[in-house]
Amino acid sequence: MVSPLGNEDVFRLSMNQGHSAAWEGRWQEAVEHYARALQEFPDNPPCLNSLALAHYELGNLEQALELYRRASRLAPEDPLPIEKMADIFKTTGRKEEAIQFSMRAAELYLSLRDADKAINNWTRVVRLEPENIDAHSRLALVYERLGRTPQAITEYIAMAALQQHAGQIEDARASGEHALRLNPKSKDAQDAVAMLKAFKTLPKPLRMGSATGPLRLPAGSPRPAAFQAALHSFEDGPDPIEEATQRSLQALAAMLFDLTPLEPEKRKGALQDLARSVMARGFDERAIVRHLSKAIEHETRKHDKETADELKGAIDAGLDHPAAHFNLGILLDKLGRAESAQRSFQRAVEHPDYALACRLLIANYLREQGKTHDAVLEYLQALALADSAVVDPEKAPALRAAYQPLIQKAAANEDAQATALLSDNIRYLLMRPNWRTGVNEARGQLPIKPGSSAATPVAEILTHANSARLVDALGRINQISRQGHLRAAMEEAYGALEFSPSYLPLHVHMAELLLLSDRPQQATEKLAIVARVYSARGDKDRATQTYERIVSVSPLDVDARLRLIEQLAANGQLQQAASQNLELADVYYRLAQLDKARDTYEKALRLAQGAEVDAAWNVQVLHQMADIDLQRLDWRKGLLVYEQIRSLAPDDETARLNLVQLNLRLGQEGKANGELENYLSYLNSRGRDEEAGTFLATLVDENPRFILGYRRLAEHYQQMGKRGDAIKAWNTVGQLLVEAGDREGAKVAVRAILALNPPNPERYQQFLQRLSK
């Protein structure tokens, strides 16, 4: 709600002008408009967020950061500014703060039951700090609750690896076995459990994601978030039915979270709270949890009938919540059981979260049954709810009361044609995405009543045949869209389309309007058609630009990115094609399709062979491939990749370390020794003795039975004059050689210790004598 202290008209005008400038990428102008709006209402969080975004796009990161801080202080439960601050901290290299704020944003999104955005923030954490076990554990639990089993298994294996390296062996085994229980046929889980049982070391999770370097998209590339944020303060979204459906699914997921909380000690209190509010007398808690869990699992797979059956089972077991009744009604309606669905809608209609959707669905049913008179009463009830949702809260009760005479008048109206027209207009206004924007625009057409501050019902202008649509000339599309009347602008575009149906820029403009209307799927579908037509016409540049726009809006659109890569390669733009392959590999990785991710990295390397790229870029891509090989426990393939890295970058410590370790894991100790000697020789020839010591210390820490590693570490300490460390290292060498049955080697180690004048030489002399017997 906007404070009553400022000029609301100036505020809204400035915000609309700012949104229009942001839409067209005129960020400096957007800053000026948003700043003007902020003068009217300095404590308006959406305005602060919009101004912060404009500064961010201009590269003014400190200004953006301060504005996001202000927004966060004013709306501490809103995860958006915290998430944006995490992104800025990441961009500016402030890793610890980026991790801290990402974790906070994730928990806030989870409290709002927005699991996907929570996942995005935890994913940012593990990219910045792969060994952050808190983020891995949260990802594992949430993936499991959402039924995303492959991703959950990956995270549980990562947890097992980190727990093993921390010496928490039992916890590591428990994590690995839990991963296997999720899917006993998972090869990754089978291999991990087998390694844990054999006391073999699991590879720790490594950084994943697209490489950075000369093949990245230019800094000015469009960000899809900018278009969503541009309309943040209008709260655009899906149609009322979809909106309520999403809300009901979130509520059901929240109930399951509460009934099976991440912290078991909270379960009793949560159950008591739920019992008071959403459970029928004599409820069966176990049955509710069982049915609800299965319902959510089936819903993720789009199994409507099974979801409905399980939800009905939960309700029969005592779950009495409007979210459950509403969602059951939606499912029954989709399954063709419209009459049964109405009973479920009637049980949810009084709840404010579902009242609008229920009224519309009941009205639609009555309309289909030919009960036009009854339908219009329900449509008017729906319009009263929608209308009061877009005005200031203090005006909403009076506005809802103002609808009662209109509803009574409609009940007494016997003009079937007028009744049908009013029903059609209300249905047209509300049954669409971004319905709030549509209602706001309709409110803008209401006549002003002098001397009255009360809100006028929008129903008063919906009684004429032409009241739901505005049709002008094609030349006014841009003007209307700049004013923020997005629905009107789209209608203008449709009108122009009748005169030029094949003019592709018009279709592109319509797609951009769809994006601003928060309808990305329809927008990308339209853009995909446009891109294919451009390609068929031989206009390769515009086809490429259109595909680039699609993937900027929908980064997970694999088909569009594949077509973009194909188009770029055909145009000879090999660097850009290789860069897009890296983005595609990252998409596959996020979808837990590791085989496809690795194949795509290989394709990027092949494409880059024809472009001018430096060795560092190739090394970065090879590391991504090797990381996947280690996660899949395919050590031989990983070994081959690290050998390629060693050839391209002889001083790459990570590759050198893994070459030694992988040879050891494969039982190829001779090759491991050779790799170690080769790298130490390389470092010593360049006078990098300190690096050699650090490398050896890391190596023996992760491979505590590697004899040559300890021997070379002992020699290093000896050369550096670190007598105590050298004695300790030689002592470990001796112990390992004795255990291996190499008495002669052990003698050499003991003599090396004696040469260092240890504090207890007689003890070592006695040990040497025993070895000589």
Side-chain angles (χ1 to χ4, degrees):
M1 167 186 160
V2 177
S3 165
L5 298 176
N7 188 315
E8 187 169 340
D9 291 337
V10 173
F11 174 81
R12 290 189 179 277
L13 177 61
S14 298
M15 288 295 289
N16 286 340
Q17 291 172 335
H19 294 333
S20 296
W23 173 31
E24 297 177 359
R26 296 180 280 111
W27 294 109
Q28 185 56 51
E29 188 177 331
V31 165
E32 295 167 3
H33 290 306
Y34 289 140
R36 178 70 187 89
L38 199 62
Q39 290 176 0
E40 298 300 322
F41 301 106
D43 293 336
N44 182 274
C47 183
L48 285 166
N49 285 327
S50 296
L51 181 56
L53 174 67
H55 276 297
Y56 178 86
E57 293 292 342
L58 289 171
N60 305 330
L61 298 186
E62 288 304 319
Q63 293 95 318
L65 188 61
E66 182 54 35
L67 288 163
Y68 280 131
R69 280 200 178 103
R70 285 176 58 189
S72 180
R73 285 194 293 268
L74 290 165
E77 300 304 315
D78 184 1
L80 175 67
I82 296 173
E83 182 180 39
K84 292 293 186 181
M85 284 190 279
D87 185 50
I88 292 173
F89 288 135
K90 176 177 176 250
T91 302
T92 55
R94 296 158 69 175
K95 175 182 168 183
E96 294 303 321
E97 289 165 294
I99 290 170
Q100 176 190 350
F101 278 71
S102 295
M103 292 295 286
R104 281 178 57 194
E107 294 301 331
L108 285 172
Y109 276 125
L110 191 65
S111 69
L112 297 174
R113 311 305 172 186
D114 194 338
D116 286 330
K117 288 186 179 178
I119 287 169
N120 288 341
N121 280 275
W122 284 318
T123 301
R124 182 192 291 118
V125 172
V126 297
R127 289 180 187 280
L128 290 169
E129 189 178 55
E131 297 182 23
N132 189 305
I133 196 167
D134 290 336
H136 282 294
S137 65
R138 302 295 276 176
L139 282 169
L141 288 165
V142 173
Y143 277 141
E144 181 182 356
R145 296 282 173 81
L146 295 175
R148 301 179 189 176
T149 303
Q151 292 94 326
I153 288 173
T154 298
E155 296 301 331
Y156 276 116
I157 293 174
M159 285 175 58
L162 294 173
Q163 290 162 338
Q164 183 190 49
H165 281 270
Q168 301 167 1
I169 305 303
E170 292 304 318
D171 290 342
R173 286 182 179 174
S175 297
E177 289 169 358
H178 191 87
L180 188 60
R181 283 197 297 273
L182 291 178
N183 181 6
K185 296 181 180 180
S186 168
K187 188 176 185 303
D188 290 344
Q190 291 170 357
D191 291 344
V193 170
M195 288 182 67
L196 289 165
K197 288 182 178 178
F199 296 97
K200 293 183 179 179
T201 304
L202 287 173
K204 287 188 283 189
L206 298 168
R207 183 183 181 276
M208 287 300 302
S210 297
T212 57
L215 295 191
R216 302 295 291 170
L217 289 172
S221 296
R223 289 185 174 89
F227 291 87
Q228 182 176 356
L231 291 178
H232 180 72
S233 62
F234 283 93
E235 299 182 347
D236 286 346
D239 66 61
I241 311 301
E242 180 61 25
E243 184 176 296
T245 301
Q246 292 174 6
R247 190 179 291 123
S248 70
L249 291 171
Q250 291 171 356
L252 293 173
M255 275 185 272
L256 186 59
F257 269 96
D258 290 338
L259 286 167
T260 57
L262 301 181
E263 296 82 7
E265 63 272 10
K266 295 182 179 179
R267 182 174 179 278
K268 184 176 180 181
L271 181 58
Q272 290 175 347
D273 291 341
L274 284 170
R276 285 193 295 268
S277 59
V278 302
M279 303 298 186
R281 188 181 299 275
F283 68 90
D284 184 342
E285 175 206 345
R286 291 180 180 273
I288 290 173
V289 170
R290 184 177 68 253
H291 286 298
L292 193 55
S293 178
K294 288 182 179 179
I296 292 174
E297 182 178 349
H298 283 303
E299 193 281 329
T300 61
R301 294 177 169 82
K302 306 303 179 186
H303 298 163
D304 292 341
K305 184 180 183 304
E306 292 81 359
T307 306
D309 291 343
E310 295 296 342
L311 204 50
K312 179 68 164 54
I315 292 171
D316 290 344
L319 178 61
D320 186 16
H321 191 280
H325 296 301
F326 178 80
N327 202 261
L328 179 59
I330 290 291
L331 292 166
L332 292 172
D333 192 53
K334 289 170 69 176
L335 294 169
R337 298 168 58 186
E339 188 173 347
S340 298
Q342 300 310 302
R343 290 192 288 272
S344 294
F345 294 143
Q346 291 291 350
R347 297 186 68 176
V349 73
E350 297 303 326
H351 194 283
D353 284 348
Y354 311 105
L356 173 58
C358 286
R359 293 291 182 190
L360 287 170
L361 287 162
I362 293 168
N364 289 343
Y365 173 76
L366 293 170
R367 185 170 177 264
E368 291 171 2
Q369 297 296 311
K371 300 178 180 179
T372 310
H373 194 264
D374 293 334
V376 75
L377 302 181
E378 293 293 337
Y379 279 127
L380 280 167
Q381 293 277 13
L383 183 60
L385 293 167
D387 204 0
S388 60
V390 302
V391 300
D392 291 339
E394 64 268 19
K395 295 181 179 180
L399 180 59
R400 285 193 294 271
Y403 269 87
Q404 293 309 309
L406 295 176
I407 293 172
Q408 293 171 4
K409 182 179 178 181
N413 190 349
E414 297 182 359
D415 186 338
Q417 186 176 357
T419 297
L421 176 60
L422 181 57
S423 293
D424 289 344
N425 282 335
I426 295 175
R427 189 172 187 275
Y428 176 82
L429 182 66
L430 299 183
M431 290 291 292
R432 59 177 178 176
N434 303 323
W435 58 272
R436 291 179 178 84
T437 299
V439 174
N440 263 320
E441 290 177 354
R443 293 201 61 78
Q445 301 172 40
L446 287 168
I448 298 174
K449 295 182 179 180
S452 174
S453 61
T456 304
V458 78
E460 291 189 4
I461 62 165
L462 294 180
T463 55
H464 303 290
N466 61 350
S467 60
R469 298 177 183 270
L470 297 173
V471 179
D472 282 326
L474 178 61
R476 296 188 59 205
I477 294 175
N478 285 331
Q479 177 187 352
I480 294 175
S481 63
R482 288 195 189 99
Q483 294 171 351
H485 303 299
L486 301 178
R487 182 67 193 182
M490 182 60 80
E491 291 300 324
E492 293 291 339
Y494 276 117
L497 200 61
E498 294 179 5
F499 304 103
S500 357
S502 60
Y503 185 55
L504 294 182
L506 174 60
H507 289 274
V508 172
H509 193 86
M510 294 173 71
E512 295 294 343
L513 288 172
L514 288 169
L515 283 173
L516 282 175
S517 300
D518 199 20
R519 296 164 66 185
Q521 182 175 350
Q522 295 97 317
T524 53
E525 288 172 356
K526 179 174 277 294
L527 286 171
I529 295 171
V530 170
R532 288 196 292 271
V533 175
Y534 272 136
S535 184
R537 291 180 178 179
D539 193 339
K540 296 179 180 179
D541 290 340
R542 289 192 179 182
T544 300
Q545 291 169 6
T546 308
Y547 281 126
E548 286 175 341
R549 185 72 183 107
I550 295 172
V551 299
S552 74
V553 171
S554 181
L556 299 183
D557 191 330
V558 172
D559 181 66
R561 201 174 293 275
L562 286 169
R563 290 179 180 272
L564 173 58
I565 293 167
E566 180 180 314
Q567 197 74 46
L568 290 167
N571 293 349
Q573 297 170 273
L574 299 182
Q575 288 190 354
Q576 293 89 331
S579 179
Q580 288 298 330
N581 261 297
L582 296 190
E583 299 285 353
L584 179 59
D586 186 39
V587 170
Y588 283 136
Y589 178 79
R590 289 164 63 186
L591 296 173
Q593 299 178 15
L594 298 186
D595 289 336
K596 288 186 176 181
R598 195 186 189 283
D599 290 345
T600 307
Y601 281 128
E602 282 191 302
K603 290 176 184 176
L605 283 176
R606 288 197 295 271
L607 281 169
Q609 289 174 359
E612 295 181 2
V613 297
D614 58 22
W617 186 89
N618 286 307
V619 167
Q620 207 165 14
V621 178
L622 287 167
H623 268 297
Q624 307 283 34
M625 294 167 56
D627 290 349
I628 291 176
D629 291 334
L630 293 188
Q631 290 194 44
R632 291 163 32 187
L633 307 180
D634 192 341
W635 293 338
R636 294 191 183 279
K637 190 175 285 188
L639 189 64
L640 293 174
V641 176
Y642 282 122
E643 287 173 351
Q644 288 180 263
I645 296 174
R646 180 194 59 203
S647 300
L648 292 170
D651 60 347
D652 189 307
E653 184 173 314
T654 301
R656 294 287 196 163
L657 181 64
N658 279 300
L659 280 169
V660 177
Q661 293 189 137
L662 290 175
N663 275 304
L664 287 173
R665 288 173 184 169
L666 292 168
Q668 300 171 168
E669 188 170 350
K671 289 186 177 181
N673 292 343
E675 290 290 349
L676 176 59
E677 299 286 27
N678 182 288
Y679 188 47
L680 292 178
S681 175
Y682 175 86
L683 292 176
N684 291 332
S685 68
R686 287 159 176 76
R688 293 156 62 179
D689 293 334
E690 287 191 13
E691 290 182 43
T694 302
F695 177 81
L696 286 166
T698 302
L699 180 63
V700 299
D701 182 56
E702 297 195 11
N703 302 274
R705 302 195 64 77
F706 185 28
I707 296 174
L708 183 62
Y710 272 110
R711 184 190 297 274
R712 295 294 176 255
L713 182 61
E715 292 170 351
H716 170 78
Y717 286 144
Q718 203 166 332
Q719 291 170 4
M720 301 298 291
K722 298 180 178 181
R723 178 170 162 270
D725 291 334
I727 291 172
K728 183 179 178 182
W730 277 118
N731 196 59
T732 303
V733 172
Q735 291 176 358
L736 292 173
L737 287 169
V738 169
E739 292 175 12
D742 187 353
R743 299 173 72 87
E744 291 301 318
K747 290 179 186 179
V748 172
V750 175
R751 292 189 185 103
I753 294 173
L754 288 169
L756 292 169
N757 296 317
N760 49 351
E762 58 278 357
R763 175 187 166 200
Y764 289 100
Q765 290 286 3
Q766 292 171 3
F767 186 64
L768 187 60
Q769 290 174 6
R770 288 201 302 272
L771 288 173
S772 300
K773 292 179 181 180

